[in-house]
Amino acid sequence: MTATLDSPSRTLLTPPQPVQWHRPLLALAALMALVSAFALVARFIDPVEVTGLNQWDKPLKFSLSIVLYAVTWSWLIGQLQRFRRVAWVAGTVIVISLIVEMIVIVGAAAVGTTSHFNVSTPLNAFAWTVMAAAISVLWLATFVAALLLFFSRLGDSARTVAIRTGAVLSLVGLGLGYLMTGPTSAQLADPQGVVGAHTVGLPDGGAGLPILGWSTVGGDLRIPHFVGMHALQAIPLVLIALELLSRRVTVLRDVRVRTGLVWVAAAAYAGFMALVTWQAMRGESIVAPGAETLAAGLTLLAMAFLAAAVVVLAGRNRLATEARR
């Protein structure tokens, strides 16, 4: 019995191995925090709008996202016991790629134009080409870093599963961004200096959610991209919640139960990614889901709850059987 129970005080916040944080990624996070603060102030001073949003909204949301991304990868790379040098190089490439991307985004915001898909002038086309190359390099570097997570034990099995599945789903989410880069049928007929789009079924720049800009009248491919990328934080957060709850809920002290629940959470998250991708590709707004989307979402939710109940009941039965021995 003791072999399958973990101390509830061992949480993801206090990793079993000393962490050597990747310092360039931490420096990037600090830099992006400053950019976030600047963009937040600038959006209230400068009223210029680009595609329906304040021109500083894009630097704001990208820099905030990068803060989370950089801190998480700095922590993950710091836990590796093998291939540390390769991981350090991959992390540094991630830093360089994101800096290049943010230079283009902030530069475009400063002159009141778009950064993504903009080929209206040779300079804008060059900037977009550089950004697209940086994004591709970012994906490859993240792939290397994610792959290395499979060569080190990252705590108990629940923690290991949470970190690895979060990294893999994040990599998929990062790749979903490529869905936005192809020309639409309207652009093929008349590009007008734009190749690629966030919105499906409508031109970019229509009604959208504040700051995020996600379309409220059509499909938006930024949503699955965002949801997928932040699996890197979401799945480990589920594990943190389970470990904290294990202080009060006895069955959660069984590492097999926590591992099973993390697998359920990861599968449900993958299903949710697929759902919002399907919804966006059909030109349906995230705030106005149709009957098919609602039915699929409720089915996914029910299956997740059922699977979680099976895992918990199996754990309780094991505990009861071991207690009788």
Side-chain angles (χ1 to χ4, degrees):
M1 180 175 176
T2 55
T4 62
L5 297 182
D6 290 328
S7 168
S9 63
R10 282 183 60 192
T11 70
L12 202 58
L13 299 175
T14 55
Q17 297 286 338
V19 176
Q20 297 180 3
W21 295 77
H22 188 281
R23 292 188 177 182
L25 279 165
L26 285 183
L28 174 64
L31 176 62
M32 289 301 105
L34 293 175
V35 173
S36 300
F38 172 81
L40 182 61
V41 173
R43 75 179 305 276
F44 290 105
I45 296 174
D46 192 341
V48 174
E49 291 191 353
V50 177
T51 62
L53 292 172
N54 183 279
Q55 63 183 355
W56 293 105
D57 282 349
K58 179 169 284 189
L60 175 60
K61 62 186 179 183
F62 268 75
S63 56
L64 287 173
S65 180
I66 290 172
V67 168
L68 293 174
Y69 196 76
V71 170
T72 305
W73 271 114
S74 176
W75 178 77
L76 291 174
I77 289 173
Q79 293 191 81
L80 296 175
Q81 290 90 50
R82 302 179 64 191
F83 305 110
R84 285 180 178 270
R85 187 177 297 275
V86 176
W88 194 94
V89 171
T92 304
V93 172
I94 289 173
V95 171
I96 296 170
S97 302
L98 288 173
I99 288 176
V100 170
E101 182 179 10
M102 284 302 296
I103 287 173
V104 176
I105 290 172
V106 173
V111 298
T113 190
T114 56
S115 53
H116 289 66
F117 323 129
N118 188 348
V119 294
S120 58
T121 68
L123 179 59
N124 289 333
F126 174 74
W128 169 233
T129 301
V130 169
M131 180 191 285
I135 293 170
S136 296
V137 172
L138 171 65
W139 191 93
L140 289 172
T142 304
F143 172 79
V144 171
L147 182 64
L148 296 179
L149 294 175
F150 287 82
F151 292 92
S152 292
R153 187 165 177 82
L154 305 165
D156 63 33
S157 60
R159 292 186 182 198
T160 301
V161 169
I163 290 171
R164 289 176 179 173
T165 57
V168 170
L169 291 176
S170 176
L171 192 65
V172 173
L174 192 62
L176 288 174
Y178 287 100
L179 293 175
M180 296 180 272
T181 59
T184 65
S185 56
Q187 290 167 356
L188 288 173
D190 184 14
Q192 296 187 355
V194 180
V195 177
H198 301 122
T199 311
V200 177
L202 296 168
D204 282 346
L209 296 176
I211 299 180
L212 292 172
W214 297 347
S215 178
T216 55
V217 290
D220 200 311
L221 292 168
R222 286 172 291 191
I223 298 170
H225 179 54
F226 174 89
V227 170
M229 280 189 63
H230 291 291
L232 192 65
Q233 293 83 34
I235 307 302
L237 281 174
V238 170
L239 189 274
I240 290 174
L242 292 173
E243 290 184 331
L244 293 174
L245 284 171
S246 70
R247 297 173 181 176
R248 295 182 176 272
V249 182
T250 303
V251 71
L252 294 180
R253 297 174 191 170
D254 187 335
V255 68
R256 293 172 295 185
V257 172
R258 294 202 304 276
T259 303
L261 291 175
V262 169
W263 275 116
V264 170
Y269 201 93
F272 181 60
M273 283 174 54
L275 177 63
V276 294
T277 304
W278 178 58
Q279 182 184 29
M281 294 292 288
R282 287 160 47 230
E284 184 179 272
S285 170
I286 191 70
V287 299
E292 291 180 339
T293 303
L294 288 173
L298 290 173
T299 301
L300 177 64
L301 190 62
M303 292 174 64
F305 273 113
L306 179 61
V310 169
V311 170
V312 171
L313 288 174
R316 284 180 175 173
N317 289 337
R318 280 197 304 269
L319 287 176
T321 301
E322 290 167 352
R324 289 194 295 266
R325 290 177 183 173

